[in-house]
Amino acid sequence: MEAKHAWGIEVGEFALKAVRLQLVGEQVSVVAFEVIPHTKVLSDPSVSDRAGMVQITLGAFVQRHEQELSTEPIVMSLPSSMAFARFAAIPAVDAKSLRSMVEYEAKQQIPFPIDEVEWDSHVLPPDDAGQCAIGIFAVTKDRLQELLGLLAENGLEPDVLTLSSVAVYNALQYDLQLDEGSPSVACLDIGTNTSDLIVMSGPKMWIRTFALGGSQFTQAIADAFASQNIDYSRAEAVKVQRNPNEKTQRGRTMAMRNVTAQLVEEVGRSREFFLSANDGAALDHIIGVGSTLKISGLRTKIAGDLQLKVERLERFKRIEVNGPDPVKFEEGSINLLTAVGLGLQGLGLAKVPLNLAPIARVRKKVWQAKTPWFVAAAALLVLASISMFARVMLDRIALSNIEPVVERASSTAQRGKAQLGELQRAQEVAGVGASDSNALDLLAGREVWPWIVHDTFAALQASAPASVETGMDPQAIRAIDLARRRLVRLEDLSGEYTVDPSTQARVITVSARIRLSGKNADKDLDPTQFLNNEQTGVLAWLRANKDRAEVPYVIETDALDVPKWVEVKGGKLSEELPPSGDTGSEGGFGSAASGSAGIAAGGAGAGQSGGGALKKRNTGPIEDKPTGFRGSIGSGDDAPSGAESDEAEGPSGSGAVSRRRAKTQVSSAEGLPEVDMDKEAPLPQAPRLVGVNDKEFEGVLKFRLKLRASGAPGSSPEGAAQ
């Protein structure tokens, strides 16, 4: 039996979470999953370029799964705070009248002009009184286009966009097999900036979103310990620390108590809203998801204050794990519920098949899928027509008078010449010159940078590293003898765009700061020879692929600049040189973070503490701590910070009032203990991949790209791969 596959992808504040599901018969299995943390939590106040950090994460994910993503359905989520959800009751009527009533309710409920939003609805089963509950969901077109543009730049074009809260509902409905007789159960999904309470009463649902999440807990700790120079990143480590000593535990609890009280209050209010709108309903059971629920004592606090049974989602009942590590998947299941719900919708198993993707985009993909059938039908029709009317057509051609056709062609040509003349005169008046043309060409060349990233990784991948070297296990990488490592790591990538005034040729000079092993067999490695080697031919790849019809530029192989190499011993550079973006004659580069793992060709690489952005800032010395990789954990199932809405809250809806929360203050009279954070809650760092006496080489590889003329082929790397 042929298997059906689909991807569910959630881009949150802490990480990208993706699940690839397979349907064989009636059995759903997980065949691949990814959790790729951002370089920093996006809610960190020190983050200034959110879009750039998201692009790095998306690029790493697409690079790993390019082939599957190009052929399989992709379902992605919108955070509930980015969209609008309302529930209303209407009488049960026939299908034609129902559509009119839903459209009327949508215009009444959505607080924006209807032509400025993309919206969809779902009709729930009628109750005993003959009333149908309808869910109305909407997102403004400008926010949607901003998100779709960011995804398109990284080669992702989702087939379906739905709310994360609806995806959670679909996942639990499938896994718990809720029906009309099932008791009401709720899911508390605590994200980074907002939280959702999703109530499932049999096949019906109710959703409320409120502006409180894991970042508020982290900020409360940072505010309380500000006098001890605890920033947001270190406060995140304190928040999720397991089994802290008594002083740390007491200080953390005191710092977070106001936020904990607010969370309990919001959950209680949400439950009361649901019960007041559903007479006779009961709600005593909550399933919790999101890493914030791992905070010691939080689940017990909610259960005790609200007299509820609160349990965390630990594993799925109906979904098998085939292929990836089942233990790791089970450990991450508390944060993968949304991605699983998205994948189920891609397989056609969603109870609520909501889609907020633009209608024009959906229609385009549908027609593209049907195009081969239309072509085949048209070809059969043409053949049938020729066989039936060939004699008649030949007779008509022989008898027809072609003079009128010639006259029309001549008249059309004359009008075309006249219009060309008018166009030239208009351009002269408007002063449209070469610089304007170059500006337009630049805007039209948005597909160039994805190709540069694609080719850079492909060239570095020509060194043929082992799969272990591009994996996520630093211990396995360190176990490989330095003399046998073939990994070329990308530390920094940048490009400089220039225009030759004399020829108007557009050129991009690409600088890639790379690091590679310092040994080859029993002797020191010649890094330049390694790059030119037939088996590890990074430069050979660039020369062999300099001119491809589908790529919007040509690689000028005569401008390949072999790096100036500097020894790196134990992760430390032997000398300081200019940054990789320097346009000097020699390949310069800046000092990397000591022990930085970089980005490995063929994947995100082991210990990815930095990123392959246009510019990667130095992060200072990195130590191999037993606490694991550098980065925040425990920010919960995420929602972007774009959750700022001034919309008032109502008992029947999900709109939440977003407001600036005052800093949490802890009085000195309360006995706040002095805590040594370096000792009690050390901040995790990226693992070291080399020993203190191991030698590596680092240098900047430069090559120049000449952009093709406007209108030349320029599809995306993903489109070319298809």
Side-chain angles (χ1 to χ4, degrees):
M1 183 177 295
E2 184 178 355
K4 182 179 180 182
H5 297 86
W7 280 94
I9 304 172
E10 177 192 14
V11 181
E13 294 281 285
F14 170 67
L16 178 148
K17 287 156 279 187
V19 173
R20 183 178 181 233
L21 296 183
Q22 173 183 276
L23 176 63
V24 179
E26 296 183 355
Q27 180 60 54
V28 175
S29 304
V30 177
V31 293
F33 72 94
E34 291 279 3
V35 178
I36 305 178
H38 303 304
T39 307
K40 278 188 177 182
V41 180
L42 300 183
S43 58
D44 190 327
S46 64
V47 174
S48 59
D49 185 11
R50 291 171 52 90
M53 295 181 68
V54 171
Q55 281 187 322
I56 294 173
T57 308
L58 286 172
F61 171 69
V62 172
Q63 182 74 16
R64 296 181 191 179
H65 303 282
E66 182 176 359
Q67 182 175 357
E68 297 94 339
L69 291 170
S70 64
T71 58
E72 296 172 357
I74 300 174
V75 182
M76 299 188 68
S77 65
L78 300 169
S80 299
S81 57
M82 179 179 174
F84 171 88
R86 281 289 185 269
F87 295 88
I90 60 174
V93 294
D94 60 89
K96 183 176 180 181
S97 301
L98 180 62
R99 184 170 64 178
S100 300
M101 295 183 70
V102 170
E103 291 179 355
Y104 174 79
E105 286 293 335
K107 293 178 181 179
Q108 298 299 314
Q109 297 284 350
I110 298 175
F112 303 99
I114 200 68
D115 58 346
E116 294 181 5
V117 298
E118 294 288 348
W119 69 279
D120 199 359
S121 63
H122 180 72
V123 180
L124 302 171
D127 56 20
D128 297 336
Q131 293 285 314
C132 287
I134 58 171
I136 298 172
F137 311 90
V139 60
T140 57
K141 291 182 178 179
D142 55 346
R143 300 190 73 180
L144 194 60
Q145 292 301 327
E146 181 180 353
L147 173 63
L148 290 173
L150 179 62
L151 296 175
E153 289 181 7
N154 291 275
L156 280 176
E157 185 174 356
D159 299 88
V160 176
L161 286 172
T162 186
L163 297 187
S164 58
S165 54
V166 174
V168 169
Y169 170 83
N170 286 330
L172 289 177
Q173 272 286 347
Y174 177 84
D175 199 54
L176 301 179
Q177 293 182 288
L178 301 177
D179 53 28
E180 190 68 37
S182 301
S184 298
V185 61
C187 178
L188 177 60
D189 183 1
I190 303 179
T192 302
N193 296 316
T194 61
S195 298
D196 297 318
L197 187 71
I198 304 105
V199 181
M200 294 156 286
S201 181
K204 300 180 181 179
M205 72 172 174
W206 183 86
I207 300 172
R208 180 175 182 258
T209 300
F210 49 90
L212 195 150
S215 63
Q216 282 83 352
F217 286 91
T218 305
Q219 192 61 52
I221 296 173
D223 293 344
F225 292 97
S227 61
Q228 301 183 37
N229 296 321
I230 302 301
D231 60 7
Y232 189 94
S233 296
R234 182 154 294 186
E236 183 74 27
V238 174
K239 181 182 75 173
V240 300
Q241 183 182 7
R242 293 179 177 272
N243 302 319
N245 62 30
E246 183 178 352
K247 288 184 178 180
T248 303
Q249 176 69 30
R250 185 156 58 92
R252 182 176 69 178
T253 302
M254 293 173 62
M256 296 190 304
R257 64 183 181 180
N258 288 344
V259 183
T260 301
Q262 294 176 32
L263 178 63
V264 172
E265 179 184 357
E266 290 293 347
V267 174
R269 288 179 59 199
S270 301
R271 182 175 66 165
E272 293 303 320
F273 287 162
F274 169 74
L275 295 177
S276 64
N278 296 269
D279 294 337
L283 185 59
D284 302 315
H285 182 199
I286 288 182
I287 299 172
V289 296
S291 295
T292 300
L293 279 174
K294 295 180 179 179
I295 296 177
S296 176
L298 179 60
R299 186 158 51 100
T300 304
K301 174 70 173 175
I302 298 173
D305 287 6
L306 299 178
Q307 296 300 302
L308 290 169
K309 177 184 177 182
V310 181
E311 60 179 347
R312 289 192 320 207
L313 177 70
E314 300 294 347
R315 63 179 60 87
F316 293 98
K317 299 178 180 178
R318 298 181 61 196
I319 300 176
E320 296 181 348
V321 181
N322 295 332
D325 188 340
V327 176
K328 288 186 178 180
F329 181 80
E330 188 171 302
E331 290 174 354
S333 60
I334 194 171
N335 290 324
L336 291 171
L337 186 63
T338 300
V340 169
L342 296 171
L344 288 171
Q345 183 165 349
L347 295 176
L349 300 176
K351 198 80 172 180
V352 180
L354 178 69
N355 191 358
L356 293 174
I359 296 297
R361 183 184 292 260
V362 174
R363 287 175 178 168
K364 179 181 177 182
K365 292 182 74 68
V366 171
W367 283 106
Q368 285 177 342
K370 293 182 178 180
T371 297
W373 296 100
F374 291 151
V375 172
L380 290 174
L381 181 60
V382 169
L383 290 174
S385 300
I386 291 176
S387 63
M388 293 174 61
F389 304 107
R391 186 69 263 170
V392 176
M393 294 290 292
L394 291 173
D395 291 342
R396 287 184 178 179
I397 292 173
L399 297 174
S400 62
N401 188 349
I402 65 172
E403 289 184 0
V405 178
V406 175
E407 289 183 6
R408 286 197 300 271
S410 177
S411 176
T412 302
Q414 291 178 358
R415 287 199 302 271
K417 290 181 180 180
Q419 291 173 354
L420 284 174
E422 292 176 1
L423 175 61
Q424 289 178 344
R425 289 192 295 272
Q427 289 176 334
E428 292 174 357
V429 172
V432 177
S435 59
D436 303 292
S437 175
N438 285 326
L440 292 175
D441 286 344
L442 180 59
L443 292 175
R446 298 176 64 183
E447 76 283 351
V448 173
W449 183 249
W451 269 112
I452 293 175
V453 175
H454 176 275
D455 283 1
T456 301
F457 274 101
L460 299 185
Q461 207 171 14
S463 64
S467 59
V468 173
E469 295 181 67
T470 59
M472 298 295 290
D473 188 350
Q475 293 183 358
I477 297 175
R478 287 196 295 264
I480 301 175
D481 190 276
L482 195 64
R484 295 188 293 107
R485 295 188 194 176
R486 307 183 64 82
L487 181 66
V488 181
R489 302 203 309 273
L490 178 62
E491 296 292 317
D492 188 89
L493 181 64
S494 62
E496 180 181 4
Y497 173 86
T498 56
V499 178
D500 189 332
S502 60
T503 63
Q504 295 302 310
R506 299 176 301 150
V507 175
I508 295 179
T509 302
V510 179
S511 299
R513 181 156 56 92
I514 58 178
R515 184 178 290 188
L516 61 155
S517 166
K519 286 185 176 295
N520 186 6
D522 296 327
K523 61 181 180 179
D524 285 350
L525 172 76
D526 181 345
T528 301
Q529 182 180 0
F530 182 83
L531 292 187
N532 276 305
N533 188 282
E534 292 182 359
Q535 296 179 345
T536 59
V538 174
L539 298 182
W541 189 96
L542 292 172
R543 295 188 182 100
N545 294 272
K546 66 178 182 179
D547 191 354
R548 289 158 287 163
E550 71 275 12
V551 181
Y553 52 73
V554 176
I555 302 174
E556 296 186 348
T557 54
D558 57 343
L560 285 175
D561 189 356
V562 177
K564 173 185 176 182
W565 300 101
V566 169
E567 291 186 1
V568 183
K569 189 171 183 180
K572 296 183 179 180
L573 290 170
S574 61
E575 61 179 282
E576 292 289 335
L577 290 175
S580 61
D582 195 336
T583 57
S585 59
E586 295 189 39
F589 54 91
S591 59
S594 182
S596 174
I599 300 180
Q608 182 174 320
S609 65
L614 284 173
K615 280 300 200 180
K616 188 182 77 174
R617 293 186 176 88
N618 295 334
T619 56
I622 297 178
E623 300 177 2
D624 190 5
K625 297 288 186 180
T627 48
F629 289 5
R630 177 178 185 175
S632 301
I633 59 173
S635 293
D637 250 1
D638 317 285
S641 61
E644 300 181 2
S645 170
D646 295 329
E647 184 186 343
E649 183 83 51
S652 61
S654 64
V657 179
S658 177
R659 57 188 179 274
R660 185 181 301 277
R661 183 184 60 75
K663 288 187 176 181
T664 303
Q665 300 295 333
V666 179
S667 171
S668 58
E670 297 177 317
L672 179 66
E674 291 292 331
V675 180
D676 185 352
M677 290 302 171
D678 288 329
K679 179 179 179 182
E680 304 298 339
L683 186 63
Q685 302 292 333
R688 187 187 298 276
L689 301 183
V690 296
V692 294
N693 296 318
D694 288 340
K695 183 194 298 183
E696 296 180 292
F697 287 98
E698 186 167 308
V700 176
L701 171 64
K702 291 192 176 184
F703 55 95
R704 196 167 61 185
L705 313 174
K706 182 177 181 181
L707 299 185
R708 300 183 188 275
S710 178
S715 62
S716 67
E718 292 72 22
Q722 297 177 14

